[in-house]
Amino acid sequence: MIATAIEAGTNILDVTATVAPWLLIGLALGAVVQVLIPTHRLRQWLGGSGVAPVARAAVIGAPLPLCSCGAIPTALSLHRGGGSRGASTAFLVGTPGIGIDSVVLTWVLMGPFMAVSRVVGAVATAIATGLAVGRVPPAVPATVGEAGCASGCTGSTDHAEYAPDPGPVRHMGRVMLRLIDDIGTWLIIGLILAGLMITFVPPGSLAAWGSGLLAMVVLALVGIPLYVCATAATPVAAAMLIAGVSPGAVLVFLIAGPVTSLATLLVLRRELGTPAAGVYLGSIVVAALMVGLVVDGVVALGGLEPAAMAGAAREIWPEWVERAAAGVMLTLIIVPARRAVRRAGHWAWSVARGGRRVRT
């Protein structure tokens, strides 16, 4: 029992160290993208009707590192600011489905094939869902006061909330910290689950069960009610792939889980009506299953082995870099630790300036 617990702890720490440098890089890139694309600019790009604004919404939303609840305020702002129903919905699906940070982690943990498949699948699902919802007759919109997230959201992530600071580096740093606060808890849970799966589910043990349409439907039904961001879902999906779940079924989980949650459905129902919410949910499930079946077909025809590609990029960083990055990442995620470091920094700065105390 003790040996198993030690092994599980070691696996959790190994997964954390592996993803830490890449996650920090991905979050930094995501903060840059989010700062450079303000909401008013998105409204201009997503206006009009037809396929073009829906496709633009899916593609533009893809690199933004927002979870499903985090994307709600921006999507509603786009809709009420003139964006079409289809484009707003495509943004609401495409934005939490992937992000720069989650794509980087997918490449690191599962290889380039799964990373590319995840991007293409998420964008295709967003476009299909946006086009489907766009055909539903409009409902009476909710008042501004009614729109918001259910429990579990960490707050609005509307780009207007990030008012420019005197220094751009400080501005982007604050955005990065907000993103870490949004995903931190679920990222830790995802890393723990991934480590436990690696410990207790031997490689290849799920190969018989984890393939085919039934497995995809089960993973879609499991993923949809959960509130899990794309980044936090990635280590869990990587453990599934190693355990023998088919690449297509893994992608169904990665698409269906992050793009929606009960909070998203409730807000969408208030904003666009019950029929639109039903079409939204049904379209996500159907599109995700189609993506899964296509990916498994490509893997079978091409003789690919995505599980063998998993972890191909792990040896890029020296071990000390991974450990240092893991320490930084955990310090940033654990808010009390982050505050303690900040207080220590203020104290050191006050000592350096002659012993004058600085209020923290």
Side-chain angles (χ1 to χ4, degrees):
M1 180 67 70
I2 295 178
T4 303
I6 293 175
E7 182 184 0
T10 301
N11 287 332
I12 292 171
L13 292 177
D14 286 344
V15 174
T16 302
T18 298
V19 306
W22 300 101
L23 179 63
L24 293 176
I25 292 173
L27 287 172
L29 293 174
V32 171
V33 171
Q34 191 163 325
V35 168
L36 295 179
I37 306 180
T39 301
H40 68 84
R41 184 68 63 187
L42 288 174
R43 292 195 190 102
Q44 295 175 1
W45 291 340
L46 305 185
S49 58
V51 178
V54 173
R56 284 198 299 268
V59 173
I60 291 172
L64 298 179
L66 299 179
C67 58
S68 59
C69 267
I72 290 175
T74 303
L76 295 186
S77 175
L78 293 174
H79 181 235
R80 295 173 184 177
S84 68
R85 292 158 55 85
S88 302
T89 302
F91 182 88
L92 185 60
V93 174
T95 303
I98 49 174
I100 291 180
D101 51 343
S102 59
V103 172
V104 169
L105 287 190
T106 305
W107 178 72
V108 172
L109 294 176
M110 290 183 277
F113 175 79
M114 291 296 290
V116 172
S117 299
R118 184 177 188 181
V119 172
V120 174
V123 171
T125 300
I127 293 174
T129 305
L131 292 174
V133 172
R135 298 179 63 87
V136 179
V140 178
T143 63
V144 175
E146 289 178 323
C149 285
S151 61
C153 299
T154 56
S156 172
T157 52
D158 194 332
H159 301 173
E161 203 173 280
Y162 303 117
D165 289 325
V169 175
R170 186 179 179 186
H171 181 197
M172 292 178 184
R174 289 187 175 183
V175 176
M176 184 175 173
L177 290 178
R178 178 64 63 85
L179 295 174
I180 291 174
D181 287 341
D182 286 343
I183 71 172
T185 300
W186 288 105
L187 177 62
I188 291 176
I189 294 174
L191 292 172
I192 292 174
L193 289 176
L196 293 177
M197 286 190 65
I198 293 173
T199 303
F200 295 104
V201 183
S205 60
L206 297 181
W209 177 88
S211 62
L213 184 59
L214 179 59
M216 295 179 189
V217 172
V218 170
L219 287 176
L221 295 179
V222 169
I224 285 176
L226 297 177
Y227 177 78
V228 56
C229 68
T231 304
T234 306
V236 179
M240 289 182 183
L241 185 66
I242 295 173
V245 178
S246 74
V250 169
L251 280 179
V252 170
F253 173 76
L254 286 174
I255 292 173
V259 301
T260 191
S261 64
L262 291 178
T264 309
L265 292 173
L266 290 174
V267 173
L268 192 72
R269 178 177 175 272
R270 282 202 298 260
E271 182 73 11
L272 301 180
T274 301
V279 171
Y280 168 89
L281 182 59
S283 298
I284 289 175
V285 173
V286 172
L289 293 177
M290 292 297 295
V291 169
L293 292 172
V294 169
V295 168
D296 274 355
V298 171
V299 169
L301 291 175
L304 302 176
E305 296 184 7
M309 304 178 190
R314 293 187 180 188
E315 303 302 325
I316 292 179
W317 301 106
E319 185 177 353
W320 69 268
V321 172
E322 292 184 341
R323 291 182 177 181
V328 172
M329 184 184 74
L330 293 176
T331 300
L332 294 176
I333 289 176
I334 302 172
V335 177
R338 192 168 76 200
R339 290 173 179 168
V341 171
R342 186 171 58 186
R343 285 196 296 268
H346 285 314
W347 177 83
W349 178 248
S350 68
V351 171
R353 297 187 64 185
R356 290 174 293 176
R357 293 188 60 82
V358 178
R359 183 180 297 273
T360 58

